[in-house]
Amino acid sequence: MNMVSSIQQNTDPFALAKELSGFHLIDGEMVKAASGKTFDVVNPATGDVIGQAADGDEADVDRAVQSAAAAQKAWKKMPARERGKLVAECGRRLTEHAEELARLIALETGKALRTESRVEANVLADAFVFYGGLASELKGESVPFNPNMLTVTQREPIGVVGAIIPWNVPLMLMALKIAPALVAGNTVVVKSAEEAPLTVLRVCQIMNEVLPKGCFNILAGFGPECGGPLVAHPKVGKVTFTGSVETGKIVSKAAAEKLIPVTLELGGKSPMIVFADADLDKAVAGAVAGVRFTRQGQSCTASSRIYVHESIHDEFVQKLKAKADAMKMGDPLDEETDIGTIVSPDQMERVKGYIQKGIDAGGTANLCSQLPDDPALKKGLYVQPVIFTDISPDAPPSREEIFGPVTCVFKFTDYEQVIEAANDSEFGLAATVWTKDLHTAMDATQRLEAGFVQVNQNLVVQPNLSYGGIKKSGIGREASLEAMLEHFTHKKTIIFNMG
Ligand code: NAI
Ligand code: MG
């Protein structure tokens, strides 16, 4: 490892996008796709092409997996704390590069710099530092099996981990996969999302100055052509995926063919329940954070179903709308901007389609904020946030994951009814409850069918708390020590007979 990074921070995201264009990172080297093909990376705020990504296929996947498999032989033999120190050092260097990462992720995804991109870039290091410090917790047990025998278990790495990531929070979601995988002694091959291949490549480049070559490889490419061969590769022993339910099923079936474990972090339709006694202003602020207005709602944990007691419903809606109206939509790189763009034309169509379906089903679409009037942004993928009221619980926006700036607010009167309504979903990722009453809070947290339930707050994923869903929201947990142990190691039992 070079003690001092030779990679200079480059806070001009346009220049950096060009510099990173056309590459995978395999075996410590920035390399082009074997086919020589690339695809365009587009700035969603203007429609301009800002660079290219290598268009990966089976040949690139094989090269990356072979490199990871070769590197794993030495990596797993390194003392765990040494691996941990290297991973923590990656975190330190990523902090030094936080501003360039923030600007580049804003450019390629359209997430506003001040409210979203800088926040993501600044918490990225936390995951590496957290897992780096957990290296010596890769412990086994000693088992009282027989007095003449020493019986122990130990945690061993799985081997090569294939990680497939989405575009909404790519830095953070990638970190929560690769940090525990690496610390546990695995090596990784990441396939980035086609909408956001550049910033994660930069992260990989920075980390490859610290890690031995081949430990962390990254490929750009499309799902079936590049993600498919990664899951199917015979030397990939574990797959960790974040994305849609549909793709999650494909990945899970392919992994089943090889009988390898998968972790799936899929969608959500997370309820927020505001009881009559809740602190209204806090609940409104929680809804602003929960709906992820500043991320255009592009979050798997978004509070996309809000149940408000009828006695405060109208006031809640009026206050929520006022807050959303006060947010400025604009150029993601402008410090003034609160809300940037949707990530891609496909997502834009999907979101607009859901808004139309809600209107067709008789819902009232309360449009919030204002589209930017800057002519330079006229091709930008801007959608005004929508708060649906008086919408049927069976309308598509009420039931399906939209992944856009759309939430549905429902009136409720009865406690039993609202718990039932909140649980009446095929998803079970997150939920929040807003009340000052301890009994209500306790009972609701016990009965809500979700993997992550919060009372009177709406925090995002934390590195040290288990995170994941039940029902169609996924399989397995991410973040926390348990995720590293349960999802990136297997347990070996060893008996020494000294009788
Ligand atoms: P997606 O699930 O298709 O894509 C996620 C990742 O999977 C990308 O890297 C993609 O290239 C890869 N992929 C796609 N097909 C694959 C295949 N056959 N084999 C292996 N990898 C494959 O999600 P997409 O199309 O970006 O978004 C569609 C919807 O999915 C969104 O509107 C949203 O509802 C949901 N979504 C949920 C996310 C979450 O955080 N849970 C993240 C992104 C999307
Ligand atoms: Mg897709």
Side-chain angles (χ1 to χ4, degrees):
M1 167 183 46
N2 301 325
M3 289 317 289
V4 178
S5 173
S6 61
I7 302 177
Q8 290 295 311
Q9 168 151 254
N10 183 352
T11 53
D12 174 355
F14 295 93
L16 186 54
K18 289 211 173 70
E19 189 186 314
L20 295 168
S21 273
F23 294 111
H24 301 306
L25 201 156
I26 301 175
D27 207 35
E29 302 292 331
M30 299 282 270
V31 296
K32 301 206 152 113
S35 68
K37 286 189 195 156
T38 61
F39 60 92
D40 287 342
V41 183
V42 175
N43 174 1
T46 59
D48 296 339
V49 173
I50 53 162
Q52 281 77 36
D55 191 351
D57 64 18
E58 202 169 351
D60 303 306
V61 168
D62 186 55
R63 198 169 156 196
V65 174
Q66 298 295 356
S67 159
Q72 209 250 339
K73 293 195 174 96
W75 182 244
K76 73 174 176 193
K77 286 191 190 144
M78 189 184 283
R81 284 205 63 216
E82 293 305 313
R83 289 196 303 263
K85 281 181 195 165
L86 293 180
V87 169
E89 172 65 12
C90 290
R92 198 188 62 73
R93 294 196 187 187
L94 291 169
T95 303
E96 288 177 359
H97 286 264
E99 187 60 17
E100 69 162 21
L101 296 172
R103 298 179 75 82
L104 187 59
I105 199 80
L107 179 64
E108 69 178 340
T109 65
K111 293 197 295 180
L113 178 62
R114 193 189 84 254
T115 56
E116 284 291 334
S117 295
R118 199 174 275 139
V119 178
E120 184 183 4
N122 279 302
V123 298
L124 176 67
D126 198 25
F128 293 99
V129 172
F130 170 72
Y131 277 110
L134 286 183
S136 62
E137 296 302 311
L138 290 156
K139 291 172 188 160
E141 301 132 331
S142 91
V143 184
F145 173 58
N146 182 313
N148 292 325
M149 299 176 195
L150 174 64
T151 305
V152 296
T153 65
Q154 70 187 29
R155 293 279 177 181
E156 295 188 347
I158 294 170
V160 178
V161 170
I164 297 176
I165 58 170
W167 43 265
N168 56 330
V169 217
L171 304 179
M172 196 57 200
L173 296 175
M174 181 170 81
L176 289 175
K177 297 182 187 311
I178 63 177
L182 287 168
V183 171
N186 305 281
T187 53
V188 292
V189 177
V190 171
K191 193 207 74 75
S192 56
E194 42 276 54
E195 297 83 355
L198 298 177
T199 316
V200 290
L201 176 64
R202 183 63 161 180
V203 169
C204 186
Q205 195 184 34
I206 293 164
M207 289 180 64
N208 264 270
E209 281 217 319
V210 177
L211 301 172
K213 66 181 181 134
C215 287
F216 174 17
N217 308 274
I218 195 160
L219 302 168
F222 291 86
E225 297 77 8
C226 188
L230 178 60
V231 179
H233 196 290
K235 287 193 175 164
V236 168
K238 154 87 196 188
V239 171
T240 168
F241 170 83
T242 300
S244 64
V245 173
E246 291 67 33
T247 305
K249 286 182 191 168
I250 296 172
V251 167
S252 190
K253 281 181 194 155
E257 276 302 319
K258 287 165 55 186
L259 291 171
I260 61 164
V262 274
T263 304
L264 301 174
E265 207 270 85
L266 309 176
K269 193 74 194 171
S270 299
M272 164 170 182
I273 309 178
V274 187
F275 289 98
D277 69 330
D279 179 327
L280 192 62
D281 289 334
K282 263 197 194 164
V284 169
V288 170
V291 176
R292 306 276 195 272
F293 283 110
T294 54
R295 204 192 295 159
Q296 289 280 43
Q298 298 170 147
S299 163
C300 47
T301 4
S303 302
S304 48
R305 295 184 289 146
I306 307 182
Y307 299 88
V308 186
H309 191 267
E310 61 172 356
S311 61
I312 53 170
H313 172 274
D314 294 357
E315 195 185 351
F316 178 93
V317 170
Q318 178 235 318
K319 287 192 164 181
L320 182 62
K321 179 162 179 353
K323 290 258 190 212
D325 283 341
M327 292 185 181
K328 183 170 183 252
M329 296 178 78
D331 179 353
L333 286 165
D334 184 343
E335 298 282 347
E336 301 271 294
T337 298
D338 297 300
I339 302 177
T341 72
I342 302 281
V343 75
S344 68
D346 282 357
Q347 280 296 122
M348 174 108 160
E349 280 315 300
R350 180 183 160 102
V351 171
K352 285 190 162 171
Y354 273 111
I355 295 171
Q356 192 55 50
K357 282 183 205 167
I359 294 168
D360 294 346
T364 305
N366 301 280
L367 292 184
C368 306
S369 186
Q370 271 170 6
L371 295 175
D373 48 21
D374 181 349
L377 304 176
K378 70 175 188 305
K379 288 191 191 148
L381 305 176
Y382 292 93
V383 173
Q384 275 182 280
V386 173
I387 301 171
F388 269 113
T389 48
D390 301 312
I391 185 165
S392 155
D394 294 320
S398 308
R399 301 201 75 83
E400 295 167 30
E401 182 176 58
I402 302 174
F403 232 65
V406 181
T407 193
C408 300
V409 182
F410 307 99
K411 248 180 232 174
F412 77 88
T413 46
D414 179 63
Y415 179 78
E416 291 298 324
Q417 224 174 14
V418 77
I419 296 289
E420 202 170 301
N423 286 338
D424 179 18
S425 170
E426 59 180 2
F427 295 108
L429 193 51
T432 64
V433 177
W434 301 76
T435 178
K436 291 189 188 123
D437 182 73
L438 191 56
H439 177 264
T440 306
M442 276 294 285
D443 192 69
T445 57
Q446 300 309 301
R447 288 170 60 186
L448 284 169
E449 295 166 3
F452 197 63
V453 183
Q454 304 179 66
V455 178
N456 296 333
Q457 66 169 23
N458 215 330
L459 288 180
V460 296
V461 180
Q462 307 288 312
N464 59 334
L465 301 180
S466 282
Y467 180 79
I470 60 174
K471 303 197 239 177
K472 284 202 180 135
S473 291
I475 297 175
R477 292 291 175 267
E478 296 202 288
S480 79
L481 174 63
E482 297 94 290
M484 177 165 78
L485 298 179
E486 299 306 320
H487 297 300
F488 294 111
T489 72
H490 59 75
K491 196 187 250 192
K492 179 185 279 177
T493 298
I494 304 170
I495 307 174
F496 297 85
N497 187 337
M498 292 162 306

